[in-house]
Amino acid sequence: MTHPYLDHPGPIAFAHRGGAADGLENTVTAFRRAVDLGYRYLETDVHATSDGTLVALHDATLDRVTDGKGAIADLPWREVRRAKVAGREPVPLFADLLEEFPGARFNIDVKAPGAIAPLVEAIRAADAWDRVCVGSFSQARLDAVRRLAGPRLATSMGVREVLALRLRSPFERSVPDPARAAVPGRAVCVQVPDRSGPVAVVDRRFLRAARHRGLQVHVWTVNDRDRMSALLDLGVDGIMTDHIETLRAVLAERGAWPDPV
């Protein structure tokens, strides 16, 4: 069994924040550009406003990327909606992204406890269970999402689970273990950085350990062309990038860019 979210030919290309290199991260314009290039997987982040409205934005505050100021969790939607990314583009509602890009799949980093219930409700309202994978840097937030959403939701491994996998990786077999794969409520993939400081996170042993559990391995955020190629040669299942044209070119040269839908 494979979760429908992972039903994709070849390595998955993720447009990180829609392709953050152009300065319009997490906007409809950025996501539209990625989709027009042929991206089927869009990575984004979610926060909730003070009145429970779920928005796609990476930071906890408006200050870095918009012309607004203040913490999203402290502001009502009527104020957040006036902020413009790079002074140009509005902060989108996550529900609107699901509607605007019906053919896309979303990889979501849930950034705050207040976003958990609105996120699950947005997925449920859109019946987007097959189009969404949720992860978090907080194991507690990820566990809460899993409890609320139930087994239909695809998730990546949390930080505690990734650490355990990494520590066990030298001792794993390469043969998948059907008893561990595709169990409802468990992670369907591992999403990790290429490196943690000087230490390589993704290597052949780590990939072997993930395969043993039936898990795909997706690596973020890779913007260097040579490193993209090296990771694909290693056998990773997906790459997240800010530089969407570069990753598209690397995959196309390998005959691994999917045909238009």
Side-chain angles (χ1 to χ4, degrees):
M1 286 178 58
T2 300
H3 193 281
Y5 179 82
L6 298 175
D7 182 14
H8 180 81
I12 297 174
F14 293 88
H16 184 247
R17 305 181 199 172
D22 66 1
L24 294 175
E25 64 180 60
N26 285 324
T27 62
V28 170
T29 295
F31 294 126
R32 172 60 63 194
R33 177 167 163 263
V35 169
D36 288 347
L37 281 172
Y39 276 78
R40 300 177 183 178
Y41 287 77
L42 308 174
E43 190 274 345
T44 192
D45 316 272
V46 291
H47 286 273
T49 63
S50 63
D51 48 1
T53 302
L54 193 70
V55 299
L57 198 72
H58 175 270
D59 296 7
T61 70
L62 297 171
D63 302 53
R64 179 179 66 88
V65 298
T66 83
D67 55 9
K69 292 186 179 298
I72 294 169
D74 295 337
L75 298 170
W77 168 237
R78 68 176 181 273
E79 294 186 27
V80 174
R81 72 186 303 173
R82 293 200 292 264
K84 297 294 188 290
V85 177
R88 294 168 46 194
E89 300 290 330
V91 176
L93 298 174
F94 177 68
D96 287 350
L97 294 180
L98 288 175
E99 183 177 355
E100 181 75 18
F101 304 105
R105 295 172 187 175
F106 286 86
N107 204 87
I108 304 159
D109 185 354
V110 58
K111 289 293 190 182
I116 293 169
L119 172 60
V120 174
E121 178 53 34
I123 297 168
R124 183 178 291 117
D127 193 24
W129 302 106
D130 293 349
R131 298 173 51 205
V132 167
C133 180
V134 175
S136 178
F137 286 100
S138 164
Q139 185 75 51
R141 287 199 297 270
L142 185 57
D143 290 343
V145 170
R146 289 170 175 167
R147 287 193 298 270
L148 189 59
R152 291 185 66 186
L153 180 68
T155 68
S156 59
M157 274 190 162
V159 289
R160 186 173 62 241
E161 297 161 336
V162 172
L163 178 59
L165 181 66
R166 179 65 179 156
L167 291 174
R168 289 195 297 264
S169 63
F171 313 106
E172 294 286 10
R173 299 175 299 159
S174 60
V175 179
D177 180 357
R180 296 190 181 196
V183 177
R186 293 187 184 173
V188 301
C189 59
V190 189
Q191 296 179 335
V192 291
D194 183 15
R195 306 185 68 84
S196 179
V199 179
V201 175
V202 181
D203 56 20
R204 295 194 184 279
R205 294 189 302 185
F206 187 81
L207 286 170
R208 184 173 64 234
R211 298 282 188 273
H212 184 55
R213 287 163 173 75
L215 300 167
Q216 289 199 7
V217 176
H218 307 150
V219 187
W220 51 264
T221 304
V222 185
N223 294 325
D224 178 77
R225 181 187 183 93
D226 290 342
R227 192 58 193 152
M228 291 172 184
S229 294
L231 287 166
L232 292 168
D233 289 342
L234 191 63
V236 303
D237 302 288
I239 291 177
M240 301 186 189
T241 188
D242 298 321
H243 292 270
I244 55 179
E245 293 95 343
T246 302
L247 180 57
R248 183 183 189 275
V250 168
L251 288 169
E253 289 166 5
R254 293 166 170 261
W257 189 254
D259 294 330
V261 177

